[in-house]
Amino acid sequence: MTTAALQTVLTVPERFRGPVGVANGGWLAGTLADALTGKRSAVEVTLHAPTPLESELRLEHVANTVALYDGQKLLVEAIPVAEEVAPPPFVTFNDAAQAEAGFAGHHGHSFPECFACGLRDPGDGLRIFPGPVEGDGSLVAAGWRVPLAAADEEGVPASIVGAALDCVTGWAHFGPGESALLGRLALEFHREVIPGGVYSIVGQATGREGRKLFSRSAVYEVDGSLVAAARATWIAPR
């Protein structure tokens, strides 16, 4: 017996780009995670191919998976995971904001148009610029001042939180001008993000295996309460 698929159309606006012409991976991960569980449990999202912008794509929900297709081409797939997504250590907002001065992207950025970490106009992109945390060489962090333009009528959507959790996991590895492609992002949401609120964004490199780079990230409230966490796998270029 075949389970019928529930299908909707998803179009990624140009604003939510990562590399030029391609959707931001964290935005996609948050979108599919929300479609699958509505922020109720951890979700692992695999990016199989670059997702085009401003195109009508098919979002298909079958049993316990959600997948995004361009025609018959599988772009992104999300599945629930049982284990919790472990966050990196908390960094205070003041220390996270001070770390931004060391953001490697200021000295060479492969994707300056990126919605999350690109050098976009205030209110257009998120402008999350993680730099090394003083006194702990394993961590990068940034202070996130959530732009009101990031919210919709229901608040700050999972797609925006996913984008905020995304690039910091890459910058935990990258130096100036370095880059990789996001291959997988596991997300877990604990609290809502408030429009106009201030948060610490923290990233930590956790290992490397050949071309695969492993890292994790978190969004924290100023009192240290965990808002959301992510676990990432990046693929470095050959």
Side-chain angles (χ1 to χ4, degrees):
M1 180 177 176
T2 302
T3 301
L6 299 176
Q7 299 182 7
T8 56
V9 173
L10 174 68
T11 299
V12 184
E14 174 74 20
R15 180 188 178 199
F16 302 122
R17 60 193 178 274
V20 174
V22 177
N24 176 271
W27 188 93
L28 286 170
T31 297
L32 267 68
D34 192 35
L36 183 60
T37 70
K39 300 183 182 179
R40 290 188 297 273
S41 61
V43 175
E44 185 175 83
V45 181
T46 302
L47 291 87
H48 294 277
T51 296
L53 303 166
E54 302 293 349
S55 299
E56 289 194 354
L57 307 170
R58 187 174 81 257
L59 189 65
E60 191 168 282
H61 195 154
V62 181
N64 64 339
T65 66
V66 169
L68 185 65
Y69 293 87
D70 185 4
Q72 296 305 309
K73 182 178 182 181
L74 176 62
L75 301 174
V76 189
E77 186 175 25
I79 60 171
V81 289
E83 73 273 14
E84 294 183 353
V85 178
F90 171 61
V91 174
T92 68
F93 177 79
N94 286 341
D95 287 346
Q98 290 177 9
E100 294 177 30
F103 177 50
H106 287 317
H107 306 286
H109 200 313
S110 296
F111 306 122
E113 288 294 307
C114 177
F115 172 68
C117 68
L119 311 176
R120 304 263 290 268
D121 291 337
D124 179 28
L126 298 182
R127 295 177 60 85
I128 296 172
F129 303 144
V133 175
E134 186 175 354
D136 191 331
S138 73
L139 299 177
V140 295
W144 186 26
R145 303 157 186 85
V146 183
L148 297 179
D152 58 24
E153 62 277 5
E154 297 181 359
V156 178
S159 57
I160 301 298
V161 182
L165 288 165
D166 170 11
C167 297
V168 63
T169 62
W171 289 109
H173 287 277
F174 303 157
E178 294 181 339
S179 66
L181 293 177
L182 182 66
R184 182 169 290 156
L185 194 68
L187 302 171
E188 188 169 16
F189 304 99
H190 297 273
R191 298 166 182 257
E192 296 295 325
V193 170
I194 306 302
V198 293
Y199 299 86
S200 295
I201 306 287
V202 186
Q204 184 178 40
T206 57
R208 179 166 188 158
E209 183 180 304
R211 294 170 54 223
K212 293 183 178 180
L213 310 175
F214 305 105
S215 47
R216 57 183 180 169
S217 63
V219 179
Y220 284 104
E221 293 184 356
V222 293
D223 66 357
S225 298
L226 180 63
V227 175
R231 180 179 65 248
T233 301
W234 292 77
I235 309 299
R238 294 185 184 278

